């Protein structure tokens, strides 16, 4: 049996059955209906990268680690959201950890904005206040239309709120504090994660607290 993924432009990309069965979304479709394809709300570039990672995972855990570690910031656009949609928990964790590592290696909010093409919508004094505020400051409602970010920004790279949370939960406290100064939208997202049940449920030594 052959299997393929259909992208938003209608392109059909083949996927090895062994790799497809690593994803709960695809495995359920195959088992329940005998489906030979799945239509995804992602373009061919994103789907192609996801297929590469799934193929590596089907080969071995080490091969997948190498493939994920090879991804750089521009290549990560929408990958966390795509993997979450496919529901491959092992790959979700690996990709989220990779994004968190890339963000965590950046020195300051300006470096994050430069790496992910994020508009600087906070005044310098607002950045300073965000970096100095109490760690567990509660998010104050929707960010609003003024906080919409560019299509190739970090928000687009992460996609849904679930994908964003998966990444942020893997960041150190120091990285999360720094991310508050990136933009209004990211200040809001970080505040929400730090005050979430999921954050409180993290192991004490998870991902660092420096």
């Amino acid at each position: 049996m052959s299997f393929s993924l259909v992208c938003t432009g209608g392109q059909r990309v083949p996927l090895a059955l062994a790799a497809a069965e690593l994803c709960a979304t695809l495995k359920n479709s195959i088992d329940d209906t005998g489906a030979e394809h799945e239509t995804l709300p992602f373009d061919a570039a994103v789907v192609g990268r996801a297929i590469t990672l799934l193929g590596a995972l089907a080969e071995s855990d080490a091969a997948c680690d190498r493939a994920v570690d090879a991804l750089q910031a521009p290549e990560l656009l929408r990958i966390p959201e795509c993997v979450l949609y496919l529901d491959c928990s092992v790959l979700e964790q690996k990709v989220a950890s990779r994004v968190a590592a890339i963000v965590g290696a950046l020195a300051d909010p300006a470096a994050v904005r430069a790496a992910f093409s994020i508009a600087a919508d906070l005044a310098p004094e607002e950045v300073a206040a965000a970096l100095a505020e109490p760690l567990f400051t509660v998010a104050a409602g929707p960010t609003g239309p003024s906080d919409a970010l560019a299509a190739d920004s970090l928000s687009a790279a992460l996609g849904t709120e679930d994908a964003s949370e998966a990444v942020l939960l893997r960041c150190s406290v120091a990285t999360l504090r720094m991310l508050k100064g990136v933009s209004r939208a990211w200040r809001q997202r970080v505040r929400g994660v730090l005050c979430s049940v999921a954050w409180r449920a993290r192991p004490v030594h998870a991902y660092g607290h420096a």
Side-chain angles (χ1 to χ4, degrees):
M1 175 182 174
S2 61
F3 194 83
S4 61
L5 299 177
V6 182
C7 312
T8 51
Q11 303 99 316
R12 192 179 291 259
V13 186
L15 175 65
L17 188 59
E21 291 183 337
L22 295 173
C23 307
T25 298
L26 306 182
K27 188 176 190 309
N28 290 341
S29 183
I30 293 167
D31 291 346
D32 294 346
T33 68
E36 297 184 355
H37 72 273
E38 181 82 16
T39 300
L40 303 182
F42 304 98
D43 63 32
V46 172
V47 172
R49 292 185 190 113
I51 285 176
T52 297
L53 297 178
L54 287 169
L57 182 59
E59 179 184 337
S60 70
D61 196 64
C64 185
D65 286 341
R66 289 192 295 270
V68 170
D69 288 345
L71 292 175
Q72 300 303 314
E75 299 171 312
L76 285 166
L77 295 178
R78 300 200 73 191
I79 293 296
E81 183 183 8
C82 182
V83 172
L84 193 66
Y85 183 94
L86 292 170
D87 195 4
C88 177
S89 59
V90 173
L91 192 53
E92 286 171 27
Q93 294 171 26
K94 292 179 182 295
V95 170
S97 294
R98 175 58 178 160
V99 179
I102 289 176
V103 173
L106 297 170
D108 53 37
V112 176
R113 288 193 293 269
F116 291 96
S117 301
I118 300 175
D121 61 1
L122 290 172
E125 59 271 21
E126 290 178 298
V127 172
L131 298 179
E133 72 179 19
L135 184 64
F136 298 106
T137 299
V138 177
T143 54
S146 64
D147 293 325
L149 301 180
D152 58 349
S153 72
L154 185 56
S155 284
L158 302 184
T160 64
E161 291 297 325
D162 286 344
S164 300
E165 182 177 274
V167 170
L168 294 177
L169 286 172
R170 286 165 171 76
C171 291
S172 69
V173 168
T175 296
L176 291 178
R177 187 181 291 280
M178 182 268 288
L179 285 174
K180 288 185 178 187
V182 170
S183 70
R184 289 186 174 87
W186 278 92
R187 180 178 60 188
Q188 186 82 343
R189 286 180 184 234
V190 172
R191 286 172 174 173
V193 165
L194 284 169
C195 294
S196 69
V197 172
W199 176 268
R200 292 195 297 273
R202 290 191 349 161
V204 173
H205 300 295
Y207 312 112
H209 286 262

